[in-house]
Each structure stands twice: as structure tokens, then as C-alpha cells.
Amino acid sequence: QVQLVESGGGLAQPGGSLRLSCAASGFTFSNYAMSWARQAPGKEREGVSCISLRDGTTYYADSVKGRFHISSDNAKNTVYLQMNSLKPEDTGVYYCAADSSGVPVMTDDTTWYDYWGQGTQVTVSS
């Protein structure tokens, strides 16, 4: 049974930091590409960052480049998203997703991915 479980969301002040985690189980983690996407109220889900678990290649949306950092610990079957210099527009539900192609692709197409987590709420507000 495949599971992706996100954690680490919460309330942060503008300029603050949060670290999200996504624990995976039920599939061969190291063969996949993993992504983080977010959905703000009333908006479409958008890709934020992705990583190849084979070679560590990473990509970022322009809106988070230089502020967010994606990483993985293959021994723990976990992918992380370190979010720094948070802005109110970063508010939303953050999801992790797994792609069996293993090739990291920045896309807003939710059908691209094989598995999704349940999401974790991030709120950036003073």
C-alpha cells in the first residue's frame, strides 16, 4: 500500500522558515522523482519543486527559486522542502507527489504523478 505522508506545516511569520517532510512507503523510493506542489485558496495546484532520487537533480518554480530547497534522504524514504524567507503568497496546502518515470519535471499537471499525499497546511501571516 503506497503512502505519502506530509508533515511540518503550520503558521509562520513573513520572513520566517518552515521545513516540510514527506515520508514515503509502499514503492521503490529511489526509482522515483518526487515533487512538492501547493494549492492556495481559490487557485489551481502548482508545482513548486522536484527532485530526481537517482541523481539529485532539482528544479524550482521561479516564485520560490533562491528561497526554497528540496532534498531527500533515500535511506529514510523521505523528501524535504526547506522554505526560507516565507511570504504571505506562499500560503496554501502543500502536497508531495511521486512520479514513477524517475525524471523530475516541473509541471502543474496533476495527472502527471502516480501518487499524492494528503497535504499539509502552510500559513504565512503576521
Side-chain angles (χ1 to χ4, degrees):
Q1 179 184 358
V2 171
Q3 280 193 312
L4 296 175
V5 180
E6 299 98 333
S7 60
L11 176 65
Q13 292 192 338
S17 298
L18 285 173
R19 189 194 194 205
L20 306 183
S21 299
C22 173
S25 61
F27 61 95
T28 306
F29 186 72
S30 59
N31 288 346
Y32 279 63
M34 297 293 293
S35 295
W36 286 96
R38 67 187 179 190
Q39 189 163 16
K43 294 189 176 181
E44 297 289 317
R45 194 171 299 187
E46 62 173 355
V48 172
S49 183
C50 56
I51 184 170
S52 165
L53 299 179
R54 295 171 183 170
D55 63 12
T57 301
T58 60
Y59 296 98
Y60 298 90
D62 287 343
S63 59
V64 306
K65 207 169 288 183
R67 300 188 297 121
F68 289 12
H69 177 69
I70 190 171
S71 62
S72 67
D73 185 335
N74 287 14
K76 295 183 178 180
N77 283 10
T78 300
V79 64
Y80 305 96
L81 186 68
Q82 177 67 44
M83 305 187 296
N84 301 323
S85 302
L86 283 163
K87 304 176 181 180
E89 51 264 43
D90 294 319
T91 294
V93 179
Y94 282 69
Y95 300 89
C96 70
D99 167 22
S100 61
S101 77
V103 178
V105 175
M106 287 298 301
T107 178
D108 296 336
D109 179 2
T110 58
T111 66
W112 179 266
Y113 302 98
D114 297 275
Y115 309 115
W116 285 93
Q118 83 290 347
T120 185
Q121 176 70 44
V122 170
T123 302
V124 183
S125 174
S126 55

